Amino acid sequence: MSEEKKVTAAKVEKEAKKADPIEASIDIATQQMIARAQQLGIETVFDRAVSMKPCNIGAQGTCCKICNMGPCRLPLPKDYEQGKDERKGLCGATANTIAARNFARMVAAGTAAHSDHGRSVAEVFLSVARKETHDYKIKDPQKLLQIAPWFEVATTVEVDGKTLDRDIDEIALEVAEKAMAEWGKPEGELLYLKRAPQPLYERWKKLGVLPRNIDREVVDIMHRSTMGVDQDYKNIVKQCTRTALADGWGGAMMATDLQDVMFGTPSPLQSEANMGIMKEDHVNIIVHGHEPILSEMIVAACQSQEMLDYAKTKGAKGIQLGGICCTANEILQRHGIPPAGTFLQQELAIVTGACEAMVVDVQCVFQNLANVAKCFHTKLITTHPMAKMEQDNVIHIEFNEHHAMEDAKRIVKMAIDNFTNRRAEVMIPNVKHTQIAGFGVESIEYHLGGTFRGSYYTLNDNIINGRIRGLAGVVGCNNARTKHNEAHITLIKELIKNDVLVLTTGCSALAAGGHGLLTPETAAVYCGPGLAEICETVGIPPVLHLGSCVDNTRILLAATEVIKAGGLGKDLQDIPAAGSAPEWMSEKAIAIGQYFVASGVYTLFGVGMPLDGAPQFKNYLFNELEKIYGGKWDCEPDPIKHAHKMIAHIDKKRKELGIDKARERVLMDMADRQALEA
Ligand code: MSK
């Protein structure tokens, strides 16, 4: 080949390795910013997804690298036959053992991430209870009183034959100490497990999967999945269950509750979503990560008159705070701060050229942010002792609850000072949508039950009479291996078209907001007639934003309230409901999936799961678990087929409950509901 041809070929190859913005995302803001990044010669995750293919054997789940004799790679042979599978690693580990160990380590990592987040929150709560910090307070004492009994903390005291309310500070201190013990108590079981419906709790007990303490279950997985320990994939999955339950009904649930106590329980509020929330004439600060301990203080600092006045001295009209990933959800649901985007939009927020500071803590933060920030004036600030970046343009300001507001003001001031340093032309996509967010167990009760009834009866009645066909939890991440947001949005639209009420969290909720699906008006455009009628009558969106990743526990508790209200069975597995993470990527998603499955929920993932190299293990997760827990895993990358698998499951549950034909509106009283249950 001539030199000239070689240069042309290399140029073509280089060009070919860039992502096609239209193929990469269905979101116009994202498409525009990918194109903008390419125009500026800045590489993003979308380009890397084109130039780097995933490892075929890793994708099958059968690459073992837990000892230094490997990595042992066991791809599925073309002529695979179950009884004749002779694949083994050097130690003899089978494909099933390897895939199960890899899966278990994802459960452990996911549980560790959520639960360590929960631990940080509990530690700050303990500081609040001990009055060691003045920057955080108890904003929702009612929620504290509501959760105290689950920690076996009394809320009243008997004095001279009279029942008196206990001092709230005393209750807080006891709850904080009990909560902290959940990570490492030497004996017993996690206290929150009893919040599950009784039959579910009893099943876990009978199966021997009640978590003992959170840290122990994570350590247990790391031990048993190391070289030469647990070699029975079913036994490994049993520990996956115990660990995942320590996440969903332990660390993550405590994170949600204690955050609500300290920062306020969310209630529906109006905001906006997508990158168009950034403002050219404002100081733009983007918070990204997960723990609201940081972002709560940044919100307060940004809203302080001192900082607003300071911003004006630099020529800015104000401070625009926005979020990425679950930090975005935390400050959205409690303060109405608009999210700028999902996981895959993090680099693009900087590419706008208008981001004065991106402030990150833990989880889902791209290391490449530092490379993108280098091309602009953006200050990239890490704040968590366990999450630093090696690049020299990154500033580390360690956040500490004892001087939280001081740290927050320092960060905000740094962003304001940076406003005059913009060097690239600003390009903010003109794309944003109105949204209603901030739903939770309490607000669903209020909106669908009303202050008079104040319960889940109305929701149940409308499921029984068929106006609402069932419930779907649609949660989880984006994944650069699939078209950004396509599966989330297509799936959600298909579900609501079929009268399925959607509860959403995480980046799925951000995607729904960014595409305008979180408004009551959505109902008239996209919903089936039954769900549309409910949404119009009650004034709620057909897709309810329930918060961040740790707030998936709100879905578990909402489902538990459905059981308590009657008429839809006695256990979570009886409800016409299904769960989904159509664009998952994080190990946290696997931990979430496993606790939903173990709680009785049919749980579908999109994209693909690292199981195909071990068909027996996969079959165990996809079929046999249902006989044990009532829930099971499934995987379907096509969002329409995915939706219809969920709907088929919902219909199966309706049939089992005997409500598959009850399309007429019947006002049910308790006796009717009990008759249905009989
Ligand atoms: S942030 S874990 S990408 S949902 Fe919770 Fe989004 Fe998934 Fe991170």
Side-chain angles (χ1 to χ4, degrees):
M1 198 190 284
S2 72
E3 263 323 292
E4 198 185 335
K5 275 188 178 164
K6 272 188 202 164
V7 171
T8 316
K11 223 174 152 187
V12 168
E13 201 192 346
K14 207 171 171 212
E15 284 298 315
K17 281 182 180 167
K18 281 188 187 159
D20 174 349
I22 309 292
E23 285 304 310
S25 176
I26 61 163
D27 172 45
I28 291 167
T30 303
Q31 292 169 357
Q32 288 177 359
M33 295 317 293
I34 295 171
R36 173 68 173 157
Q38 290 174 347
Q39 187 191 22
L40 296 172
I42 297 166
E43 182 200 76
T44 66
V45 62
F46 298 96
D47 302 314
R48 292 188 291 279
V50 172
S51 61
M52 191 170 87
K53 296 291 166 208
C55 162
N56 176 39
I57 303 163
Q60 294 183 37
T62 45
C63 173
C64 181
K65 48 188 176 63
I66 60 171
C67 88
N68 198 31
M69 296 195 291
C72 294
R73 304 180 309 153
L74 275 62
L76 191 72
K78 284 208 172 69
D79 56 353
Y80 170 82
E81 272 182 63
Q82 191 163 307
K84 295 181 183 160
D85 186 7
E86 289 179 353
R87 292 174 294 158
K88 29 179 115 60
L90 261 63
C91 69
T94 64
N96 292 321
T97 303
I98 291 170
R101 284 173 174 166
N102 289 336
F103 183 84
R105 285 184 170 217
M106 286 197 279
V107 172
T111 300
H114 286 147
S115 296
D116 218 34
H117 167 166
R119 188 202 318 261
S120 298
V121 175
E123 282 170 348
V124 173
F125 183 60
L126 184 62
S127 293
V128 171
R130 287 178 175 162
K131 312 251 181 256
E132 291 169 354
T133 172
H134 300 292
D135 291 339
Y136 301 96
K137 302 213 162 20
I138 294 174
K139 270 201 188 157
D140 189 347
Q142 278 312 316
K143 182 96 182 200
L144 177 61
L145 294 176
Q146 199 188 317
I147 62 168
W150 295 112
F151 287 102
E152 297 169 354
V153 172
T155 55
T156 56
V157 62
E158 296 294 317
V159 178
D160 298 333
K162 285 186 194 153
T163 306
L164 303 177
D165 289 338
R166 280 186 77 197
D167 178 66
I168 200 80
D169 290 342
E170 255 178 54
I171 296 171
L173 189 57
E174 261 183 62
V175 166
E177 286 169 350
K178 286 280 184 74
M180 285 302 301
E182 293 296 89
W183 274 268
K185 62 189 179 188
E187 52 192 18
E189 64 193 45
L190 291 188
L191 297 168
Y192 266 11
L193 298 168
K194 291 209 171 96
R195 296 179 83 168
Q198 180 82 0
L200 181 55
Y201 172 81
E202 294 301 336
R203 185 174 326 110
W204 293 335
K205 193 172 180 180
K206 199 167 138 213
L207 291 165
V209 293
L210 296 175
R212 297 154 289 187
N213 71 55
I214 297 162
D215 288 351
R216 180 169 181 178
E217 303 312 348
V218 175
V219 169
D220 184 316
I221 282 196
M222 295 313 288
H223 178 187
R224 81 171 60 211
S225 63
T226 198
M227 201 275 156
V229 189
D230 202 347
Q231 298 162 21
D232 172 356
Y233 67 88
K234 293 183 186 175
N235 204 40
I236 294 171
V237 173
K238 184 174 173 183
Q239 180 56 24
C240 288
T241 298
R242 210 185 269 120
T243 309
L245 291 177
D247 178 359
W249 295 87
M253 196 173 274
M254 284 191 285
T256 296
D257 279 347
L258 297 177
Q259 286 168 184
D260 283 357
V261 171
M262 281 193 290
F263 311 136
T265 302
S267 60
L269 40 69
Q270 186 174 319
S271 184
E272 292 178 322
N274 216 333
M275 298 182 76
I277 63 105
M278 295 175 76
K279 292 183 183 145
E280 185 164 2
D281 53 9
H282 280 53
V283 172
N284 292 286
I285 302 174
I286 302 290
V287 280
H288 170 24
H290 278 78
E291 294 178 3
I293 293 162
L294 161 76
S295 51
E296 278 291 316
M297 285 299 117
I298 300 279
V299 171
C302 285
Q303 290 172 346
S304 71
Q305 200 54 51
E306 179 194 350
M307 288 296 132
L308 290 168
D309 291 344
Y310 188 61
K312 286 191 182 138
T313 66
K314 300 287 172 182
K317 287 206 172 133
I319 304 171
Q320 178 62 53
L321 182 61
I324 296 274
C325 278
C326 281
T327 286
N329 287 319
E330 298 287 3
I331 55 177
L332 164 67
Q333 66 182 342
R334 296 195 178 88
H335 303 283
I337 305 291
T342 64
F343 170 70
L344 282 184
Q345 290 170 290
Q346 55 185 285
E347 293 163 305
L348 305 179
I350 298 177
V351 176
T352 58
C355 178
E356 271 62 61
M358 183 171 276
V359 190
V360 304
D361 59 3
V362 287
Q363 303 168 26
C364 302
V365 176
F366 286 172
Q367 185 157 358
N368 196 54
L369 286 180
N371 299 328
V372 180
K374 232 178 233 173
C375 306
F376 299 89
H377 72 305
T378 306
K379 303 261 185 224
L380 181 57
I381 304 167
T382 55
T383 57
H384 202 288
M386 72 161 61
K388 294 188 178 181
M389 288 183 176
E390 62 182 343
Q391 291 95 327
D392 54 16
N393 62 322
V394 181
I395 303 157
H396 186 73
I397 298 179
E398 204 147 303
F399 209 72
N400 184 309
E401 74 263 25
H402 297 107
H403 39 77
M405 185 44 99
E406 202 184 308
D407 295 337
K409 284 193 174 166
R410 192 173 150 211
I411 290 168
V412 172
K413 186 167 179 297
M414 194 176 273
I416 295 170
D417 286 335
N418 202 23
F419 180 69
T420 49
N421 294 334
R422 286 183 188 174
R423 52 181 195 244
E425 194 191 328
V426 168
M427 185 187 143
I428 299 170
N430 187 20
V431 180
K432 62 178 177 179
H433 292 275
T434 301
Q435 64 169 335
I436 308 291
F439 286 89
V441 179
E442 300 82 355
S443 50
I444 293 175
E445 178 174 309
Y446 173 74
H447 281 273
L448 285 160
T451 40
F452 174 63
R453 305 188 81 183
S455 80
Y456 275 59
Y457 294 155
T458 315
L459 174 62
N460 284 24
D461 282 348
N462 281 300
I463 295 174
I464 292 165
N465 70 34
R467 276 188 174 74
I468 298 174
R469 192 168 184 165
L471 305 173
V474 182
V475 309
C477 325
N478 287 137
N479 186 319
R481 298 291 178 199
T482 67
K483 196 169 190 169
H484 170 242
N485 284 354
E486 183 177 55
H488 286 300
I489 301 307
T490 312
L491 169 65
I492 290 173
K493 283 184 181 169
E494 192 64 16
L495 289 169
I496 60 178
K497 183 175 131 192
N498 285 281
D499 291 323
V500 176
L501 179 67
V502 172
L503 312 178
T504 183
T505 64
C507 287
S508 186
L510 297 173
H515 288 263
L517 295 181
L518 300 184
T519 64
E521 293 73 31
T522 305
V525 184
Y526 296 111
C527 287
L531 183 58
E533 188 186 333
I534 302 294
C535 292
E536 279 157 24
T537 309
V538 182
I540 56 165
V543 186
L544 302 180
H545 184 307
L546 263 72
S548 66
C549 298
V550 293
D551 295 330
N552 283 313
T553 59
R554 297 192 201 274
I555 300 180
L556 291 176
L557 292 176
T560 302
E561 291 303 316
V562 166
I563 291 298
K564 280 191 207 157
L568 292 171
K570 296 199 180 315
D571 195 346
L572 298 191
Q573 63 171 284
D574 301 330
I575 303 174
S580 163
E583 298 184 29
W584 79 281
M585 65 84 206
S586 170
E587 290 161 317
K588 291 178 283 176
I590 295 290
I592 294 166
Q594 184 65 20
Y595 73 63
F596 269 96
V597 167
S599 301
V601 180
Y602 173 56
T603 303
L604 260 151
F605 273 31
V607 190
M609 293 179 73
L611 304 171
D612 290 344
Q616 253 181 295
F617 171 57
K618 182 177 173 183
N619 179 58
Y620 186 66
L621 296 181
F622 280 36
N623 294 304
E624 293 178 45
L625 278 191
E626 192 173 27
K627 294 169 209 147
I628 305 170
Y629 296 107
K632 65 174 183 176
W633 285 91
D634 203 349
C635 183
E636 175 52 65
D638 181 294
I640 296 289
K641 286 186 192 158
H642 191 112
H644 285 280
K645 279 187 159 195
M646 294 172 79
I647 293 164
H649 179 82
I650 285 169
D651 288 348
K652 184 177 100 178
K653 292 293 166 185
R654 293 188 67 85
K655 195 165 186 194
E656 284 170 12
L657 286 165
I659 56 171
D660 51 324
K661 295 181 194 84
R663 302 286 300 186
E664 287 307 305
R665 174 142 175 85
V666 183
L667 277 174
M668 308 199 65
D669 59 17
M670 188 52 104
D672 293 332
R673 274 187 210 97
Q674 279 162 351
L676 259 177
E677 270 159 21

